[in-house]
């Protein structure tokens, strides 16, 4: 399959460079969508639109069978590019610093190859070109229009610098963390700073709550289950001599095990209420789900590993630790079993060494053919099994 993909390598690289030059933020990928639609139409692939800028391509094989979904994300980031590549962003302040340009190009390459193999496909392949991964909104848009209806398995992938080009990571179990943003607001009674006993200050109790948070991690959570609770924003008061009526705290929480998530949620609510009661305050806790934890299906991971061996060669699937970063791919996994692969793009000679979201982010474009081939091989292997 890799040799076949090499015939289309220039097509894939050219698309990737075009997308890199013309990045668009989450939910605004209108030009990217236009190009994707045009390419799919050339291939005779059925198109269904979703959300603001998402596209579902539908390719039906020579007979009915199982359905597999392949996914690429398309959005860029609000970063000033300093990569130095000749095809740098033409849009000031916006950059493809996470490699979604590559993901989109690889899936279009896979669609092109598979469309030419239609008479060899015993089932249906859906191509998800998704907006808004960075805001954890795009997967839901695809699902809302029925994109996952009837899907039996799905595959997603992401380039990473821990692996050199030509290597891959596919492991079963938890691979990426879920993420919640938690907003805590303490309300007291304002007053003059000279007589704090006549008011109900919120800053001191809020400080106690922040200090107390890490006790939840150490005393309520099993040490075998990783969890990170970070306070990123703390705002209280209006003036030095005015007792603060309100103090607001924004917390980021990442986890793998959903049970740990529930324990932490309950504990945060409990601790906020207890501290508020102790200081005669009101406490409000609001939890905003950002992304679910990503769990690779055991059986599908074995199949994907076999597919990867056909593309990368034996011994190229390397073990990596779990990532505390988050993805919205798990929303697809709620509707069908799925697997998520990490592909290596590291190449020191090309300065392709930076982790995603870095202003000097680069990829080794040689990795594009591997991702394209893995999409194709996995789809064929799953449908023919």
């Amino acid at each position: 399959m890799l040799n076949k993909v090499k015939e289309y390598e220039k097509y894939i690289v050219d698309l990737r460079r075009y997308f890199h030059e013309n990045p668009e933020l989450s939910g605004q990928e209108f030009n990217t969508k236009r190009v994707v639609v045009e390419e799919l139409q050339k291939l005779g692939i059925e198109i269904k639109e979703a959300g603001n800028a998402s596209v579902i391509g539908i390719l039906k094989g020579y007979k009915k069978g199982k359905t597999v979904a392949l996914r690429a994300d398309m959005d860029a980031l609000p970063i000033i590019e300093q990569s130095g590549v000749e095809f740098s962003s033409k849009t000031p302040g916006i950059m493809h610093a996470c490699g979604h340009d590559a993901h989109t190009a690889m899936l279009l390459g896979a669609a092109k190859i598979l469309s030419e193999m239609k008479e060899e496909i015993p089932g249906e392949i859906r191509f998800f070109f998704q907006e808004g991964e960075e805001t954890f909104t795009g997967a839901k848009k695809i699902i809302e229009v029925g994109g996952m209806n009837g899907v039996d398995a799905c595959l997603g992938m992401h380039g990473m610098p821990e692996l050199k080009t030509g290597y891959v990571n596919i492991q079963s179990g938890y691979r990426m963390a879920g993420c919640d943003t938690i907003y805590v607001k303490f309300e007291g009674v304002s007053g003059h700073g000279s007589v704090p006993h006549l008011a109900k200050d919120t800053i001191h109790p809020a400080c106690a709550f922040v200090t107390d948070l890490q006790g939840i991690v150490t005393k309520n959570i099993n040490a075998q289950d990783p969890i990170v609770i970070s306070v990123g924003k703390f705002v209280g008061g209006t003036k030095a001599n005015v007792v603060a009526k309100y103090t607001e705290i924004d917390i980021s929480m990442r986890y793998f095990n959903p049970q740990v998530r529930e324990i932490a949620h309950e504990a945060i609510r409990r601790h906020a209420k207890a501290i508020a009661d102790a200081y005669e305050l009101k406490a409000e806790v609001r939890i905003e789900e950002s992304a679910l934890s990503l769990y690779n299906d055991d059986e599908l991971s074995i199949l994907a590993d076999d597919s990867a061996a056909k593309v990368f060669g034996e011994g190229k699937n390397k073990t990596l630790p779990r990532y505390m970063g988050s993805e919205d791919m798990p929303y697809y996994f709620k509707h069908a079993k799925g697997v998520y692969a990490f592909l290596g793009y590291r190449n020191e000679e090309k300065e392709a060494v930076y982790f995603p979201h870095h202003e000097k982010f680069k990829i080794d474009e040689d990795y594009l053919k591997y991702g394209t081939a893995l999409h194709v091989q996995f789809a064929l292997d799953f449908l023919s099994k």
Side-chain angles (χ1 to χ4, degrees):
M1 183 55 64
L2 192 61
N3 288 332
K4 186 175 183 64
V5 172
K6 288 179 181 177
E7 300 173 16
Y8 301 84
E9 193 167 7
K10 184 180 185 302
Y11 169 81
I12 299 164
V13 171
D14 287 348
L15 278 171
R16 183 261 162 167
R17 292 188 175 190
Y18 174 82
F19 292 138
H20 193 87
E21 283 186 318
N22 299 277
E24 296 171 296
L25 295 176
S26 303
Q28 302 174 30
E29 305 94 326
F30 304 117
N31 179 62
T32 305
K33 173 187 174 182
R34 177 188 62 78
V35 175
V36 168
V37 169
E38 287 178 358
E39 292 302 314
L40 294 178
Q41 286 176 334
K42 292 176 187 176
L43 302 174
I45 292 176
E46 181 184 339
I47 293 168
K48 184 174 184 178
E49 298 185 4
N52 293 329
S54 297
V55 180
I56 301 170
I58 303 171
L59 178 63
K60 296 180 180 179
Y62 69 92
K63 70 173 185 178
K64 289 186 177 180
K66 293 185 292 186
T67 298
V68 63
L70 308 174
R71 176 268 206 163
D73 36 19
M74 305 189 297
D75 48 337
L77 291 157
I79 293 174
I80 299 173
E81 181 162 5
Q82 296 185 27
S83 69
V85 297
E86 61 185 18
F87 48 89
S88 290
S89 171
K90 294 179 179 178
T91 308
I94 303 178
M95 175 191 178
H96 266 298
C98 203
H100 296 183
D101 51 340
H103 302 168
T104 305
M106 290 189 292
L107 190 56
L108 278 172
K112 186 175 182 66
I113 294 167
L114 286 164
S115 69
E116 297 175 3
M117 303 174 65
K118 191 172 181 179
E119 299 307 316
E120 302 174 43
I121 298 172
E124 181 179 316
I125 302 173
R126 295 184 194 170
F127 306 94
F128 293 165
F129 293 91
Q130 177 205 304
E131 65 188 270
E133 186 281 322
E134 297 290 351
T135 55
F136 306 128
T137 57
K140 295 175 184 177
K141 303 292 187 185
I142 296 283
I143 294 166
E144 283 171 4
V145 299
M148 284 298 292
N149 292 353
V151 171
D152 298 292
C154 46
L155 170 71
M157 59 181 68
H158 205 297
M160 296 301 279
E162 287 88 345
L163 298 168
K164 290 185 177 181
T165 302
Y167 288 84
V168 65
N169 167 259
I170 299 171
Q171 290 172 240
S172 62
Y174 289 113
R175 302 304 301 139
M176 297 187 77
C179 178
D180 292 324
T181 303
I182 303 170
Y183 303 94
V184 179
K185 181 178 182 179
F186 290 100
E187 179 182 345
V189 178
S190 63
H192 199 285
S194 65
V195 285
H197 63 289
L198 300 178
K200 301 296 180 187
D201 174 48
T202 57
I203 289 180
H204 176 75
C207 289
F209 173 76
V210 169
T211 303
D212 187 57
L213 276 175
Q214 299 311 315
I216 293 173
V217 177
T218 59
K219 304 304 179 184
N220 291 115
I221 308 297
N222 187 329
Q224 300 299 317
D225 288 314
I227 185 170
V228 176
I229 298 178
S230 300
V231 174
K233 185 178 179 181
F234 186 108
V235 179
T238 58
K239 196 173 184 291
N241 65 347
V242 178
V243 175
K245 180 175 181 177
Y246 299 105
T247 297
E248 299 181 29
I249 303 162
D250 293 3
I251 304 165
S252 174
M253 188 183 88
R254 296 177 186 269
Y255 65 93
F256 291 109
N257 188 334
Q259 291 181 327
V260 166
R261 178 192 191 214
E262 295 305 316
I263 291 171
H265 285 182
E266 195 279 328
I268 288 171
R269 290 190 179 98
R270 186 176 66 247
H271 283 232
K273 183 179 185 303
I275 289 174
D277 288 346
Y279 288 92
E280 302 176 281
L281 309 173
K282 295 179 182 178
E284 175 188 322
V285 178
R286 180 169 62 88
I287 299 174
E288 181 181 276
E289 179 186 280
S290 296
L292 304 174
S293 52
L294 188 150
Y295 188 96
N296 278 349
D297 179 79
D298 296 346
E299 182 181 350
L300 210 58
S301 295
I302 295 172
L303 175 66
D305 178 39
D306 290 340
S307 299
K310 297 174 185 176
V311 172
F312 294 84
E314 295 292 340
K316 296 298 181 70
N317 185 3
K318 298 297 184 181
T319 300
L320 286 178
R322 294 177 289 185
Y323 286 103
M324 293 308 291
S326 303
E327 248 271 10
D328 72 349
M329 190 77 194
Y331 287 104
Y332 297 119
F333 292 6
K334 290 178 67 177
H335 298 267
K337 60 184 179 180
V339 63
Y340 195 80
F342 295 109
L343 278 61
Y345 62 71
R346 187 178 189 87
N347 186 323
E348 286 84 357
E349 293 182 2
K350 298 180 180 180
E351 298 181 343
V353 297
Y354 298 101
F355 200 81
H357 294 213
H358 195 286
E359 60 195 11
K360 294 183 179 180
F361 176 85
K362 295 180 185 178
I363 63 166
D364 177 5
E365 290 182 325
D366 287 342
Y367 112 91
L368 297 173
K369 60 179 176 286
Y370 290 101
T372 302
L374 182 58
H375 273 308
V376 175
Q377 192 66 60
F378 176 83
L380 296 174
D381 289 347
F382 177 78
L383 293 178
S384 62
K385 186 178 178 181

